[in-house]
Structures are given as C-alpha cells and as structure tokens.
C-alpha cells in the first residue's frame, strides 16, 4: 500500500481500478513518406479533420441536452480550431515540404502551439494547452481507428489516471462506470475541473508521475475531500474507506434532499445563497440549486482567450442572456478584474515583478484599459435597463477610486440616455478598503467581500502558493476581524454585504461566517447544497459564540480546531480533515 497526496479539484470518495488510456500521450511513428504518397497523406488529413468536426458537433449537442444549454460552449473553440487556416496550412507544409507522415505533422504542429501556450505567463492560457492536446488526441483517434472509442466502454469502477484532465474526456468516457479521476497536472479553474464537479466525479490533481507509479488495473482509493490517493490499499484501509464513503453519501443525499428548503439556521435566521459564475452556461445552476441569484459574475473569464477586445454588442448580448436566464433574480456583474495572473490574449504581454500587486482590478480598468472599461459599463447599463443587473467594482481601495469609477458610470449613462441607474457596489478585498469601509459604504449601494484576495493581502500570502495552503487562510483571526469589521459597518449603514470568495463554499467556514454576522453567501453553485445543509443544522447563538472565540484566538490552527470541534456534532463530515480555504 502506498499513499500519495495531491490537491482535490472535485469532492467525494471513489474506490476502483486504474485505467490509463494509452491515447493520452500518443506515441506516433515518425516516417518520411514518399513523394507519390503526399496527396494520399493530405487526403487522410482532411478526412480526419472532417470526422473530428462531426464527432465534436455531436458531442456538443449531447452536452447541450445533458448538462444544460451553453455547457457546450467549451467545444466551440475546438471546432474553430479544426477549421483554422493557419493550423491546416502548417500541417500541410509539414507533409508537402518536409515529407512528414500525417501523425508526425500533426504532432509537430500541435506541440508547437501547446508549448507556446504552456510558456505563457497567463494561467488561463496555460490551461488552454490542455484543450489543444485534447484535439491532438481526437485527431489521432481518427487516424488510428483501433484506439477509437476505447474509452467509451469502461469496466465497472474505473478510475481514470492521466497526465492531464481534458474536458471532452469526461464527456466521452463511459460515465456509468467512471468513478474517479487522478491527474498529474491541471488547474482548479480549467474547464475539465469545472465539468468534473458538475458531473459529481471525485478528482485529485497534482499526483507527480501518476501514470508511472500507477499501473493499469491497480486498485485505488480517492479521497476527494483531502486530496489523498491510496495505491493498492490494505484491507483495513478499504474497510475504512467504505465507511467514509457511506457517511459522505448520506450527507450528500441529505443535502440534496434539503435543496428546496429555505436556507436558515434551525432557530430561524435566514441566509441567502448566491452563485459565483465565470461562464454564461453556469447560470443554469442557479435554478438547479435553488439559489437567490448570481452574486459574482467573473466577467474577465469570458474574454481571456478572445483574440480581440470584447465589443459592447457582444457583452450586452451575453449580459442580457445571463440576466434573462435568472428570470428576475439579481445578476451582479463584476467589471473586468484584469491584470495580475489574468492577462487576456488580446493585450500585449507585460512584465510585472509582482503582478498581484501591479496594475490590476479597478486600477487596471481606470488607468490602463479605459476603452475596455467604458464598453463594459455601457453593456452592463444597457442590460440593466431590462433586467435585474447590478454592477460591482473589483479591488476598490477607497473613496477616490470608487468615486472616479462611479463618475464614469454616470457619464456613460447620461451619454446613452439612461436615467435609472442600476445599483453599484464595491468588492472589498484589500486592507485599504477595510480601513476605508465607512467612506466606501457612503458612496455605493452594496458591498461584497472577496475573501480570496482579502486573505492574501491581510496575511501577505500569495493565494496560489501551495506551501501556504494550510496556515494562511481566512481562519486566521486577523482576516476574520477584517471580515467582521466590514459586515458590522455594512449593517450599520443599512447596505447589504455578500461574502463571495471561496470561503463561503466550505460549509464549516460558511457557518463561522454566519456567526460573524454574514447573511448573504455567494459560492460555486455545486457547493451550495452542503452549505445549506450545514447552516440549517446550526443554531445562530452557537455560531455567534464560535465566532467570538475565533476572533480572540491566536492562530489559524486554533480557529480550525475550534470550528471542527464546534460543528462536528451537527455535521459529521466536519470531523475529518482540517478546515481550509
Ligand atoms: C476574491 O478575491 O475573493 C474574489 C471574489 O475575487 P477573485 O477570486 O475573482 O479574485
Ligand atoms: Mg479578488
């Protein structure tokens, strides 16, 4: 038995046997073709392109019907790529001029492109390299039909082990029998991770050399709560896992059964739950999980891989469509939070020694991308004419930048003959904003608290640094004091405050936040059932006592233990693992 620890990107437990698809890294035979074979090789290429296109279209239609409307958007980029003249031309040149066989021509071309993306400073672009490799595999399967559809029929209890997780893998895999996923690399924000969560398949990433240390058919256990993977588990480990899984399944089922119930503590304090979304199709999850609207639409995700700056028309269309899908529930459009590690493909790359502390968020919109900001505000204002839309400004520091942005919103509204302005809010996620909270509240209609950045800046701890994951979290008493200060100020000013960082998605932390006075939580929609379940099991006065104890604690670890101990009785799953976020 061997235990390896990775990072969970989709929760749950799984027990099964490893499947390592040979097609993940196709070993292509490099052959130099004869002159009189060139035309035949080009013919093979075009047939493979056409078949792949058709296959993707069918897949897109299937996803559309199974996972809801625009989930299928993920495949649009793949479809476009298959028709991209530059890609087609490059492969043809390799065949014609270098006399490469089709397999090598495709591999060389895709490797070049994937390498370009992988070398990018932009996390989002780096993650797109997986999409390109996904296409490589698709084309490869068309060329070597023996591999084709190998993965669509799996043995019961199969656990996929792969170098990286690719979106279409999850949709083509025999889902009835796919119980878990282990990968070597892959980001939590990638499409495939989002899909894994939407499909409810537990997944762990960051297992170094997974496809070497694990062999096909090897018995495995996945703990998608802690990121633990057990190779060849001993009988007692297997037994323990059965018990853990049963308890988890019970909790999930109870949570799902309670999804239609109001989210309130057992002594009657109501807590509103909202969704954080980044892509239009995710809006469908609001109704599915009985949420109160969208508390955070990360609009920059829409445009990171676009070759051109997003136009006013396109943005208006998207915002209207998302808002219409909410059928009157609020949509909080956060203006582009660009800069830092979110650098769009349509802007020239730029070097900053500390990008998280550089030209980003609102300061990027105000001083480095005015036109972009204006187009977005115009689009949001137009959407707000017909729908329940709110505008939220990221990385506000205080009165000056907030008023500057609001004056632009007023000017654009006036130029467009818009009289009724939507509510405008500030995202409080810097220490500066915490200290300026009264002035901020006096100048806007609502606030949200971005616990991801607030934690990073209060503790001077990079939110992407794996080594800091355990001790530098929202549970540090100083971060909790900052959060409480902001909630209390908002209550005093009679304005709403919504927590919208990842913290709200952890049922334990969500309960603590309620104890601190939070009544509005916005989160990844798939986490909502568990948060609702935990809140419904808790008493407001107990949560307040817990919050008071946490505020006067001395470290993250002390608070983590306090929270686990206090909540274990109402939510058994609290007993395992530490509280993070
Ligand atoms: C946050 O910082 O908590 C937040 C909501 O914004 P983002 O995670 O997009 O930076
Ligand atoms: Mg933020």
């Amino acid at each position: 038995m061997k235990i390896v620890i990775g990072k969970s990107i989709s929760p749950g437990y799984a027990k099964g046997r490893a499947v390592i698809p040979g097609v993940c890294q196709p070993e292509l035979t490099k052959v130099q073709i004869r002159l009189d074979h060139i035309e035949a090789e080009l013919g093979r290429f075009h047939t493979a392109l056409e078949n792949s296109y058709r296959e993707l279209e069918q897949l897109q239609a299937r996803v559309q019907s199974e996972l809801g409307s625009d989930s299928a958007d993920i495949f649009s980029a793949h479809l476009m790529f298959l028709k991209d003249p530059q890609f087609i031309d490059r492969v043809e040149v390799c065949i014609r001029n270098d006399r490469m066989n089709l397999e090598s021509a495709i591999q060389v071309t895709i490797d070049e492109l994937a390498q370009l993306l992988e070398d990018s400073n932009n996390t989002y672009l780096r993650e797109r390299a997986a999409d390109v490799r996904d296409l490589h595999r698709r084309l490869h399967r068309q060329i070597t039909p023996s591999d084709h559809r190998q993965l669509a029929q799996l043995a019961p209890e199969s656990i996929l082990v792969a170098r990286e997780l690719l979106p279409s893998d999850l949709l083509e895999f025999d889902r009835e029998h796919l119980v878990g996923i282990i990968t070597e690399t892959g980001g939590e924000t990638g499409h495939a991770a989002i899909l894994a969560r939407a499909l409810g398949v537990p997944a762990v990433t960051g297992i170094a050399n997974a496809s070497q240390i694990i062999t096909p058919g090897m018995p495995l256990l996945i703990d998608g709560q802690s990121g633990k993977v057990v190779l060849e588990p001993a009988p007692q480990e297997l037994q323990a896992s059965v018990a853990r899984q049963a308890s988890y399944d019970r909790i999930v089922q109870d949570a799902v059964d309670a999804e239609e119930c109001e989210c309130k503590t057992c002594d009657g304090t109501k807590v509103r739950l909202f969704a954080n979304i980044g892509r239009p199709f995710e809006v469908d999850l609001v109704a599915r999980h009985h949420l109160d609207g969208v508390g955070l639409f990360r609009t920059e995700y829409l445009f990171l891989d676009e070759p051109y700056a997003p136009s006013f028309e396109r943005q208006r269309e998207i915002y209207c469509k998302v808002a219409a899908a909410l059928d009157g529930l609020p949509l909080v459009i956060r203006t582009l939070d660009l800069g830092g590690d979110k650098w769009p493909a349509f802007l020239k790359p730029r070097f900053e020694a500390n990008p998280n502390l550089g030209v980003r968020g609102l300061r990027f919109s105000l001083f480095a991308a005015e036109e972009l900001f204006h187009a977005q505000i115009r689009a949001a204002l137009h959407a707000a004419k017909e729908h329940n839309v709110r505008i939220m400004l990221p990385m506000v520091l205080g009165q000056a930048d907030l008023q500057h942005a609001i004056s632009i919103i007023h000017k654009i509204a006036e130029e467009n003959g818009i009289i009724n302005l939507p509510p405008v809010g500030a995202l409080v996620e810097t220490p500066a904003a915490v200290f300026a909270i009264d002035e901020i509240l006096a100048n806007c209609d609502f606030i949200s608290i971005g616990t991801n950045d607030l934690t990073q800046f209060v503790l001077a701890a990079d939110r992407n640094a794996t080594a800091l994951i355990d001790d530098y979290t929202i549970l540090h008493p100083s971060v909790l004091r900052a959060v409480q200060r902001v909630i209390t100020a908002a209550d005093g000013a009679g304005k709403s405050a919504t927590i919208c960082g990842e913290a709200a998605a952890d049922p334990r932390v969500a309960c603590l936040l309620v104890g601190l006075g939070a009544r509005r939580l916005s989160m990844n929609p798939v986490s909502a059932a568990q948060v609702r379940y935990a809140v419904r099991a808790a008493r407001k006065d107990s949560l307040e006592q817990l919050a008071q104890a946490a505020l006067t604690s001395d470290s993250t670890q002390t608070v983590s233990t306090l929270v686990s101990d206090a909540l274990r009785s109402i939510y058994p799953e609290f007993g395992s693992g530490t509280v993070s976020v």
Side-chain angles (χ1 to χ4, degrees), residues 157-225:
E157 298 198 336
S158 289
I159 293 183
L160 163 68
V161 180
R163 201 174 76 78
E164 54 194 352
L165 185 64
L166 306 168
S168 61
D169 282 339
L170 286 186
L171 299 156
E172 283 183 286
F173 264 98
D174 172 355
R175 265 180 274 154
E176 204 188 322
H177 298 133
L178 175 68
V179 295
I181 296 163
I182 297 168
T183 59
E184 294 175 20
T185 60
E188 216 169 352
T189 54
H191 295 135
I194 292 166
L195 283 173
R197 289 195 287 269
L199 295 167
V201 177
V204 170
T205 190
I207 302 292
N209 302 321
S211 37
Q212 275 136 43
I213 57 174
I214 299 172
T215 49
M218 182 185 271
L220 298 170
L221 290 177
I222 293 183
D223 179 340
Q225 308 303 106

Side-chain angles (χ1 to χ4, degrees), residues 515-532:
L516 286 173
R519 297 292 177 264
R520 299 164 66 93
L521 306 173
S522 192
M523 67 202 68
N524 166 359
V526 294
S527 305
Q530 302 236 14
V531 169
R532 185 190 308 261

Side-chain angles (χ1 to χ4, degrees), residues 310-385:
S311 67
F312 153 71
E313 288 81 7
R314 182 154 147 60
Q315 292 192 65
R316 183 178 60 177
E317 188 191 335
I318 293 172
Y319 302 151
C320 284
K321 199 168 153 203
V322 174
L326 286 169
D327 204 15
L329 293 175
L331 167 66
V332 177
I333 296 179
R334 180 179 71 180
T335 61
L336 296 165
D337 185 18
L338 290 173
D341 61 350
K342 292 186 268 194
W343 196 255
F346 58 79
L347 289 176
K348 263 211 317 271
R350 188 176 57 182
F351 175 77
E352 284 181 314
N354 285 309
N356 270 329
L357 306 175
V359 185
R360 59 168 300 200
L362 186 58
R363 92 178 134 228
F364 180 85
S365 292
L366 292 179
F367 304 112
E370 243 184 319
E371 263 180 52
L372 211 57
F373 185 55
H374 288 206
Q376 178 167 44
I377 294 295
R378 210 173 129 217
L381 287 173
H382 275 274
K385 283 199 297 190

Side-chain angles (χ1 to χ4, degrees), residues 276 296 298 300-301 334 337 342 360 395 427 429 449-454 463 500-502:
N276 289 351
L296 169 65
R298 290 184 164 101
E300 64 279 0
Y301 284 2
R334 180 179 71 180
D337 185 18
K342 292 186 268 194
R360 59 168 300 200
M395 286 282 155
L427 185 53
E429 49 186 346
I449 305 175
T451 53
N452 304 332
D453 277 311
L454 187 59
R463 63 193 263 188
C500 68
E502 285 307 298

